[in-house]
Amino acid sequence: MTDVLIEPYPGPREDLRALFELADDSPSELASYLHAGQVLVARSGDEVVGHLLLVDTGTAGEVELKSMAVREDVQGTGIGARLVSAALALARQQGATLMLVATGAADVGNLRFYQRQGFRMRAVERDAFTPATGYPDDLMVDGIPLRDRVWFDRPV
C-alpha cells in the first residue's frame, strides 16, 4: 500500500483496542500496557490500519517494541516494515541504542518478520504463555502449541 502514512497517535488507546487484540491474546497482559509508551499508527485515508507501541524498558538506551499489528486485510503489503522503520527512527531521535521485541516461539510468521527487519535472537523465555499469565491453556499458532516467548534485539 503506497497511500499509507505513519504518524504518532495522540488519541484514545481504547479506539485502537481491536488492533492491540490482534497482537496479544491475554486481556490482562494487554490491560497492563495499553496506556503505556508511545504509539505510532499507519493510516490509509481516515482509517488506522496498523499500530506499533514503544515502551521504555527501564534500562538506559533501551526501548521495547511492545505491541504491533496490521489489520489482517492489508498484511503483507509492507506496512509492518514501515512501522518498524518509523519506530527505529523515533527511538534513535530519543537517544535509544537498542530495541527489543518478543514474540511467541510458535509464531513462525513473526519469527520470520522480525529477522527480516534486522532483529536477532537474544533469549527464549520458557512457559511465558500460560493461564497464570492470562493466556488460554490450549492456544495454538500455526498448529504449534504456544508456550515459549522468543526475545529479539537490534541496534537502533
Side-chain angles (χ1 to χ4, degrees), residues 2 9 19 21 26 35 49-50 79 99 102 107 118 129 134 151 153:
T2 56
Y9 181 77
L19 278 171
E21 288 173 347
S26 169
H35 299 285
V49 296
I79 294 169
M99 185 177 289
D107 196 328
F129 301 101
W151 284 92
D153 65 22

Side-chain angles (χ1 to χ4, degrees), residues 20 23 33 38 40 51-57 62-69 80-88 91 98-103 110 113-114 117 119 149-154 156:
F20 275 88
Y33 63 76
Q38 300 172 283
L40 296 174
H51 87 283
L52 183 147
L53 173 66
L54 275 182
V55 297
D56 185 23
T57 67
E62 219 175 68
V63 294
E64 180 184 349
L65 190 169
K66 184 71 175 171
S67 177
M68 185 178 79
R82 290 182 58 197
L83 281 163
V84 170
S85 180
L88 288 164
L98 188 71
M99 185 177 289
L100 305 175
V101 66
T103 192
N110 279 350
F113 173 80
Y114 287 118
Q117 304 315 307
F119 288 88
R149 179 180 288 137
V150 178
W151 284 92
F152 291 91
D153 65 22
R154 72 155 284 171
V156 169

Side-chain angles (χ1 to χ4, degrees), residues 11-44:
R13 302 282 175 93
E14 287 299 325
D15 291 352
L16 301 177
R17 183 173 282 278
L19 278 171
F20 275 88
E21 288 173 347
L22 283 177
D24 201 326
D25 293 306
S26 169
S28 60
E29 280 295 305
L30 177 55
S32 76
Y33 63 76
L34 180 63
H35 299 285
Q38 300 172 283
V39 174
L40 296 174
V41 293
R43 286 189 190 275
S44 178

Side-chain angles (χ1 to χ4, degrees), residues 85-153:
S85 180
L88 288 164
L90 177 61
R92 191 175 310 111
Q93 286 174 343
Q94 295 176 347
T97 57
L98 188 71
M99 185 177 289
L100 305 175
V101 66
T103 192
D107 196 328
V108 177
N110 279 350
L111 296 173
R112 182 176 183 214
F113 173 80
Y114 287 118
Q115 289 177 86
R116 285 183 160 191
Q117 304 315 307
F119 288 88
R120 299 206 42 211
M121 289 187 188
R122 175 184 180 116
V124 175
E125 181 184 348
R126 293 178 64 111
D127 298 318
F129 301 101
T130 67
T133 58
Y135 293 89
D137 193 30
D138 57 351
L139 201 53
M140 303 280 281
V141 178
D142 296 326
I144 303 166
L146 180 61
R147 292 189 278 252
D148 304 329
R149 179 180 288 137
V150 178
W151 284 92
F152 291 91
D153 65 22

